[in-house]
Amino acid sequence: DAKTTQPNSMESNEEEPVHLPCNHSTISGTDYIHWYRQLPSQGPEYVIHGLTSNVNNRMASLAIAEDRKSSTLILHRATLRDAAVYYCILRDLNSGYALNFGKGTSLLVTP
Amino acid sequence: EAEVAQSPRYKITEKSQAVAFWCDPISGHATLYWYRQILGQGPELLVQFQDESVVDDSQLPKDRFSAERLKGVDSTLKIQPAELGDSAMYLCASSSRAHGRAYNEQFFGPGTRLTVL
């Protein structure tokens, strides 16, 4: 699987938007971009995924660069419950296998 | 909402003892994964099952770890003997049939926190 690079940590104020970046310069044409997050003392949970176009769901938005070498997870209004480790993961269309987690970005949300 | 169940939630054992973890995936999910997560790092795959068959156990330390999913439903992960370096969170996840579906969502259980003394 192609590798991703994320900042180790980020900080945000409550009720403000948060933009979590991910670089994946070696992404292939069949790699989907997935985001998972892990709240303290819990297992990871799915957030969003995309291939080429920007995506929105109830949890977040995913903005994908035109060349697909980077993407940004957007939390529109951070809450204290959004404090978690966010993982950006590439997953090949033809791969039915496990998620390749990196270290992720630890997001701190302050009131 | 259906969830992945794991037990126990916490386990403390002494080195050289045997330990076992149990996972019950979401009903109907054919694919089951066991991950290990060391503090401060992301989860790493230990073993993946498709129904009752192992499809990837390349990262499983087979001299001490074993995993089974006899009827293609629930699964057990065993460590014998446990070593100090096995202290970690053991996570189970499940998904519907995985092949050819890169957007296939994995659902994780709460994990078992193992401490080896």
Side-chain angles (χ1 to χ4, degrees):
Chain A
D1 292 329
K3 186 173 178 173
T4 63
T5 304
Q6 299 178 253
N8 289 333
S9 62
M10 291 185 64
E11 190 170 339
S12 173
N13 294 320
E14 195 177 12
E15 298 187 5
E16 290 187 355
V18 182
H19 290 232
L20 297 164
C22 180
N23 288 320
H24 27 79
S25 58
T26 61
I27 191 170
S28 73
T30 53
D31 281 335
Y32 278 79
I33 302 161
H34 292 249
W35 285 81
Y36 279 71
R37 73 177 185 180
Q38 187 171 21
L39 303 173
S41 301
Q42 295 188 26
E45 64 177 352
Y46 167 84
V47 178
I48 201 167
H49 76 274
L51 184 61
T52 56
S53 303
N54 295 343
V55 183
N56 300 297
N57 67 21
R58 63 176 180 82
M59 290 181 69
S61 296
L62 176 60
I64 301 172
E66 198 168 332
D67 63 4
R68 300 210 323 126
K69 292 186 177 182
S70 66
S71 60
T72 303
L73 180 70
I74 302 166
L75 306 179
H76 296 286
R77 285 180 74 242
T79 70
L80 297 179
R81 292 184 299 174
D82 291 322
V85 178
Y86 288 78
Y87 298 98
C88 171
I89 302 165
L90 300 184
R91 196 145 183 249
D92 188 273
L93 173 66
N94 298 312
S95 167
Y97 299 110
L99 297 169
N100 187 12
F101 291 87
K103 289 189 176 182
T105 297
S106 179
L107 175 65
L108 175 66
V109 180
T110 54
Chain B
E1 184 175 305
E3 295 180 342
V4 175
Q6 289 189 249
S7 67
R9 291 293 309 277
Y10 303 92
K11 179 70 178 179
I12 300 174
T13 191
E14 294 185 345
K15 63 180 182 180
S16 79
Q17 296 298 303
V19 291
F21 313 129
W22 177 79
C23 172
D24 191 12
I26 291 173
S27 178
H29 278 188
T31 310
L32 185 147
Y33 313 80
W34 283 101
Y35 291 84
R36 177 171 60 184
Q37 184 173 25
I38 296 170
L39 195 62
Q41 298 183 20
E44 295 180 320
L45 179 73
L46 290 174
V47 61
Q48 178 182 346
F49 290 91
Q50 188 72 26
D51 300 307
E52 66 276 7
S53 300
V54 173
V55 296
D56 185 357
D57 63 356
S58 57
Q59 300 304 310
L60 188 71
K62 298 182 187 64
D63 56 334
R64 297 185 300 107
F65 285 65
S66 64
E68 62 182 14
R69 193 183 183 200
L70 293 176
K71 297 182 179 179
V73 181
D74 58 339
S75 175
T76 302
L77 179 69
K78 297 179 181 178
I79 308 175
Q80 183 172 17
E83 295 181 353
L84 296 178
D86 296 333
S87 294
M89 175 76 83
Y90 290 82
L91 292 159
C92 178
S94 71
S95 68
S96 54
R97 199 160 299 274
H99 257 287
R101 299 181 61 184
Y103 48 88
N104 200 28
E105 180 180 348
Q106 290 187 21
F107 296 83
F108 285 79
T112 296
R113 169 73 65 190
L114 174 66
T115 302
V116 182
L117 303 175

